[in-house]
Amino acid sequence: MPLGRFGAACAVAIVVTGPAWAQTLADPATFLTREALEAHMSDSAFCYYPSDRLSCAWAELYTELNDDHAILHSANASADGPMQVIEFRVDWRDNGLCVDYDTQGLIAAREADGNRFPFDLSGLEEITPEALEELLVLIRDNSTPDSCFYYSEDPITPGQLRQHAFYGGVQQEGFDPVALIPSFASGVSMNPG
């Protein structure tokens, strides 16, 4: 999902090096159409920076696809705290998904012990309204206004995607690799960085 960098900023910093994530700009003509992206969202969870064993730095599960927005649950884990699953609203802008800066699209946040993100969202405890407000401030303070995310097919790893970030309408260098985990898998392990 397009909020990978955004969701990860909540709990974990990711530093990636190596040739697979070379710093290049993507040709916007290669970005997936909204229809193609929604097909992936309907069938799969998005696993960002997948390990060889398909654990994820963070993962996103889309639970609603609407005319003007989508709802997703973004999960990440840390070695020194509970796994967080944050519910966001992101707005469609052409073939990309964009984040409202003021609200950050934040709807709710839940926590659970362990590092397995259950796709049925079972076993998650909602955080308090006060903690949710603190989380909103943290996310907004670490975000860039006018953030949008687009996806392309990964030309090196068939069946995987790349997420491309745009801040203030400017494409950022690099990309986030995304493995597609079929929804019927019921969940995915999170790599607590």
Side-chain angles (χ1 to χ4, degrees):
M1 157 311 40
L3 292 182
R5 293 176 196 217
F6 164 74
C10 300
V12 67
I14 307 248
V15 177
V16 178
T17 60
W21 297 281
Q23 300 296 306
T24 59
L25 295 178
D27 178 357
T30 66
F31 294 156
L32 295 176
T33 64
R34 177 178 171 174
E35 180 180 48
L37 187 54
E38 283 184 331
H40 288 305
M41 292 171 166
S42 295
D43 295 338
S44 306
F46 288 27
C47 174
Y48 290 82
Y49 293 93
S51 71
D52 292 341
R53 299 168 76 131
L54 288 183
S55 65
C56 314
W58 73 89
E60 296 170 345
L61 176 68
Y62 290 84
T63 55
E64 288 183 38
L65 300 173
N66 299 295
D67 289 341
D68 62 342
H69 71 279
I71 303 293
L72 71 112
H73 293 81
S74 180
N76 61 63
S78 69
D80 58 353
M83 176 181 66
Q84 290 186 324
V85 178
I86 303 171
E87 185 177 0
F88 295 104
R89 172 193 166 126
V90 289
D91 298 318
W92 286 106
R93 189 179 301 164
D94 300 318
N95 295 320
L97 288 165
C98 301
V99 179
D100 177 80
Y101 180 72
D102 292 329
T103 67
Q104 291 297 300
L106 184 61
I107 297 171
R110 296 166 182 85
E111 296 179 335
D113 291 329
N115 295 326
R116 182 157 175 76
F117 175 32
F119 294 162
D120 66 1
L121 306 175
S122 63
L124 304 173
E125 303 265 339
E126 196 149 345
I127 67 171
T128 66
E130 296 80 19
L132 188 64
E133 184 60 33
E134 290 176 17
L135 181 60
L136 171 59
V137 171
L138 174 68
I139 294 170
R140 191 173 40 227
D141 287 351
N142 289 289
S143 296
T144 304
D146 194 27
S147 298
C148 294
F149 302 87
Y150 295 80
Y151 291 82
S152 63
E153 297 288 340
D154 187 330
I156 297 171
T157 310
Q160 291 193 13
L161 304 178
R162 293 178 173 182
Q163 179 192 58
H164 308 276
F166 284 73
Y167 302 137
V170 177
Q171 184 180 153
Q172 304 303 295
E173 292 210 16
F175 59 89
D176 297 317
V178 181
L180 299 171
I181 308 297
S183 300
F184 62 76
S186 78
V188 67
S189 293
M190 306 306 301
N191 181 1

